[in-house]
Amino acid sequence: METEILNKTPIIALIHNISKNQIKYLSSKIAEYNLGKEIRYIMMIYDNPNCSQEDLVNLYGESKANIAKSLKKLENQEYIERKINPNNRRKYMLKTTPKADELVPKVREISKEWEKEVGIDSNDEQLKEKLKLIAINGMKLIGD
């Protein structure tokens, strides 16, 4: 792709491109696990035990139906468990299984490799904090 096109590309399109390319890279490195974007859900659930389906909807901007379909796939593949939330019986709490817990460190290493190859390093903490703030503000704007 020509540099001129990238110079005129909105930042949000660049962020989307980075996200999509990282998922493609991860998926290619763990193809034997038959996971695509679902790997992100595993990582989120691993880092946030007892999070909900709604948390994933809000963070990833996917529809409830798409998230539900992905969670069903992960449950069928025995990567996650759903338990009824005792504080709200209409919601489920999500937790990774030992199978997922074994996969997560591998994915973290692949992610670090990808970050290094694309030029993300420890000097980018300020940028990461800024992007986190933008994400939080974006979620507030849409009411989630």
Side-chain angles (χ1 to χ4, degrees):
M1 182 173 277
E2 294 180 37
T3 304
E4 181 153 341
I5 291 173
L6 291 175
N7 288 340
K8 295 178 181 177
T9 301
I11 190 167
I12 198 66
L14 297 173
I15 291 169
H16 182 74
N17 172 276
I18 292 166
S19 175
K20 289 289 192 178
N21 284 328
Q22 193 234 14
I23 284 297
K24 286 178 185 177
Y25 183 85
L26 283 174
S27 295
S28 72
K29 296 290 186 177
I30 59 169
E32 70 269 22
Y33 296 97
N34 189 29
L35 297 167
K37 66 183 175 186
E38 294 91 2
I39 192 60
R40 285 190 175 163
Y41 307 150
I42 290 173
M43 303 302 283
M44 170 72 169
I45 295 165
Y46 178 87
D47 290 337
N48 300 279
N50 298 322
C51 66
S52 68
Q53 178 175 322
E54 289 78 19
D55 293 328
L56 296 176
V57 167
N58 292 335
L59 183 63
Y60 294 107
E62 295 279 340
S63 70
K64 288 180 182 180
N66 282 343
I67 294 288
K69 183 178 174 183
S70 291
L71 293 178
K72 186 67 177 163
K73 174 183 174 181
L74 293 174
E75 197 171 23
N76 289 341
Q77 292 178 316
E78 300 179 348
Y79 287 112
I80 66 162
E81 297 173 343
R82 296 191 225 202
K83 294 185 179 180
I84 294 176
N85 185 331
N87 298 323
N88 183 345
R89 300 200 51 82
R90 293 179 300 157
K91 292 188 177 186
Y92 288 96
M93 300 183 310
L94 306 171
K95 185 176 183 289
T96 54
T97 63
K99 181 178 178 180
D101 296 345
E102 188 177 309
L103 178 60
V104 167
K106 295 175 188 176
V107 174
R108 291 233 194 275
E109 283 304 311
I110 295 167
S111 289
K112 285 180 190 175
E113 174 187 304
W114 180 84
E115 287 181 4
K116 181 180 174 187
E117 289 297 320
V118 300
I120 298 172
D121 60 35
S122 60
N123 296 325
D124 292 323
E125 288 305 315
Q126 192 173 6
L127 174 61
K128 289 177 187 176
E129 288 301 315
K130 179 70 174 179
L131 289 171
K132 192 185 312 177
L133 180 61
I134 291 168
I136 291 167
N137 290 339
M139 287 186 282
K140 286 179 183 175
L141 279 176
I142 59 170
D144 290 338

